[in-house]
Amino acid sequence: ISIKESSGPPDHLFSAGQRVLTVGDGDLTFSLALSNWFWHLKESKEGKKKRSKVQAPIDIVVTSYDTLAELDEMYKPCIQHTIKCLGSNKCKLFTEIDATTIAEEKVRSVLDPEKTGFDRVVWNFPHGGFPETDEHHHGPGFEWSEDFATKHASIVRGFVFQAKELLRPGGLVIITNKSIEPFNLWNIPKMAMDAGFTRILQEPFSLDKYPGFQNRRGAGKRAAKRFPCDDAKLYAFGFE
């Protein structure tokens, strides 16, 4: 779907003027889709101006666990264009960022040097990676393994507890995850409640709201391969 055909990101989640941190953004296209949408609105309303002299309509800090070289290997040839477009949209990109350490002083000093916090901290389809051994690397269903389920859940839990330290008053942590087993067994709402959050909303996730977003596996030999997400749910957690 094109940006002109989309109704855009839900306005109860994202709006102009927000400061957003995206975590583990695969090929970075969610961040690009979000920033593109708000530039589209701004330029439709105000007319095109030289972006270097115009304030960005939404401030997005984009992070990836991978190195630039790894991103290039997994997502070439498109990734370099995506990175260039993020720069044009005045997004800041930081690689080699572990989602479970984002509030630690060394990492926060990079992501949020002025400690102003974020209105939204977003992780779509969190995942702990794929098996490295040949025994499991190509086989389906490895997520059912108790070891990997524990690994995935511990990473998401670590992220939730870190993200709460970065939120501005009224801010939200947003997590999108597949709702079928075994992914729903991680019980993300329970993790958020353990961190002191309240579930503000839960709703179906629609790719059409984010034109240009490509949900990809993000690791292994088929890193760029997309996966079905018709069952995905979006959770937003905050403090009442």
Side-chain angles (χ1 to χ4, degrees):
I1 186 170
S2 72
I3 196 167
K4 292 184 179 180
E5 296 171 315
S6 174
S7 60
D11 55 15
H12 57 277
L13 293 176
F14 299 105
S15 59
Q18 287 179 340
R19 190 159 189 255
V20 179
L21 173 66
T22 59
V23 173
D25 187 15
D27 66 351
L28 314 180
T29 54
F30 175 80
S31 301
L32 182 58
L34 190 61
S35 62
N36 276 343
W37 176 258
F38 285 99
W39 276 107
H40 166 69
L41 291 185
K42 184 180 182 71
E43 293 176 346
S44 296
K45 181 178 180 180
E46 302 176 6
K48 278 201 170 186
K49 302 175 184 178
K50 193 170 183 179
R51 290 191 179 184
S52 62
K53 298 182 180 180
V54 179
Q55 182 177 355
I58 189 167
D59 181 10
I60 304 180
V61 177
V62 186
T63 71
S64 171
Y65 180 77
D66 302 303
T67 66
L68 281 173
E70 288 169 336
L71 288 171
D72 191 55
E73 178 63 26
M74 288 189 290
Y75 303 119
K76 61 185 177 186
C78 299
I79 188 66
Q80 291 303 324
H81 177 70
T82 299
I83 292 173
K84 181 179 179 180
C85 290
L86 286 170
S88 176
N89 289 1
K90 299 188 178 182
C91 300
K92 301 176 186 68
L93 170 63
F94 299 98
T95 57
E96 300 179 72
I97 300 296
D98 184 335
T100 65
T101 66
I102 52 177
E104 293 181 6
E105 182 59 33
K106 183 177 180 180
V107 181
R108 183 168 186 176
S109 66
V110 174
L111 305 179
D112 185 28
E114 297 181 4
K115 292 185 169 56
T116 55
F118 296 91
D119 299 294
R120 302 289 185 264
V121 180
V122 185
W123 195 358
N124 292 312
F125 305 105
H127 203 274
F130 292 80
E132 296 179 359
T133 63
D134 291 338
E135 179 183 357
H136 299 291
H137 190 72
H138 299 292
F142 70 88
E143 285 99 344
W144 285 95
S145 160
E146 184 175 347
D147 289 344
F148 277 93
T150 300
K151 178 183 178 183
H152 297 322
S154 66
I155 289 173
V156 178
R157 176 179 290 273
F159 161 72
V160 169
F161 275 81
Q162 290 278 301
K164 68 181 287 190
E165 304 299 327
L166 301 180
L167 284 186
R168 292 173 170 175
L172 297 175
V173 171
I174 297 172
I175 302 176
T176 300
N177 196 39
K178 291 171 69 64
S179 64
I180 59 173
E181 294 186 358
F183 306 98
N184 61 352
L185 299 179
W186 303 351
N187 200 350
I188 289 175
K190 173 66 165 55
M191 295 180 193
M193 285 190 290
D194 289 345
F197 282 109
T198 296
R199 183 174 3 178
I200 304 300
L201 65 86
Q202 173 182 323
E203 63 186 30
F205 177 79
S206 173
L207 281 173
D208 289 348
K209 300 289 186 182
Y210 307 90
F213 174 37
Q214 307 289 318
N215 57 310
R216 303 190 189 279
R217 287 165 56 91
K221 293 183 178 180
R222 296 189 295 163
K225 184 178 177 61
R226 299 186 66 177
F227 59 87
C229 63
D230 295 342
D231 64 294
K233 290 183 180 178
L234 181 149
Y235 302 94
F237 304 104
F239 300 105
E240 289 186 333

